[in-house]
Amino acid sequence: MERNEIEIMANVVVRAKECRGNHERMIKRFIKKTKKEKVVEEVKERRRYTKPSDAKRQKRQKAERRRIRDEQKRQRLQQRRNRKK
């Protein structure tokens, strides 16, 4: 790894060329990419053991929340389209 790039194991790399050598911008971009890749969340999850049944339950709950959120987004989009007509 060169001095002008930041890298983490999850294949998140920020190069100085992308940020025109601005170190503050490099750090901000790195943090943004790690959040997008959910690196921090994965580390937090791996700190403790979760029973397989709990993991399945959490996965189901997360999927249900995502379905509800997506449905609400579709409804809002449909309402906006109806207003324009």
Side-chain angles (χ1 to χ4, degrees):
M1 186 170 79
E2 295 178 29
R3 186 181 171 118
N4 59 355
E5 64 182 33
I6 300 174
E7 184 175 2
I8 195 164
M9 291 172 32
N11 296 329
V12 177
V13 179
V14 179
R15 291 188 173 74
K17 288 181 182 179
E18 295 176 38
C19 303
R20 298 182 203 116
N22 187 344
H23 298 294
E24 292 174 8
R25 181 183 270 178
M26 243 173 114
I27 293 170
K28 285 181 183 180
R29 184 168 251 170
F30 178 75
I31 291 170
K32 189 174 183 179
K33 284 186 177 186
T34 54
K35 283 182 183 178
K36 187 176 181 182
E37 293 290 325
K38 298 185 179 176
V39 174
V40 177
E41 288 84 358
E42 187 175 341
V43 170
K44 285 181 181 179
E45 284 178 12
R46 290 181 183 211
R47 282 186 179 165
R48 291 185 214 90
Y49 175 76
T50 55
K51 294 181 0 184
S53 59
D54 290 340
K56 288 178 190 177
R57 187 177 339 105
Q58 289 174 358
K59 188 176 177 182
R60 260 187 270 118
Q61 289 171 346
K62 190 174 179 181
E64 182 62 27
R65 285 193 300 264
R66 188 175 57 245
R67 276 193 294 272
I68 290 170
R69 189 174 58 241
D70 290 345
E71 181 60 33
Q72 289 173 347
K73 284 181 183 179
R74 272 190 234 105
Q75 288 176 355
R76 284 193 298 263
L77 182 62
Q78 190 64 34
Q79 288 173 353
R80 279 192 216 122
R81 287 180 181 165
N82 290 339
R83 276 191 248 149
K84 291 181 180 180
K85 290 182 180 179

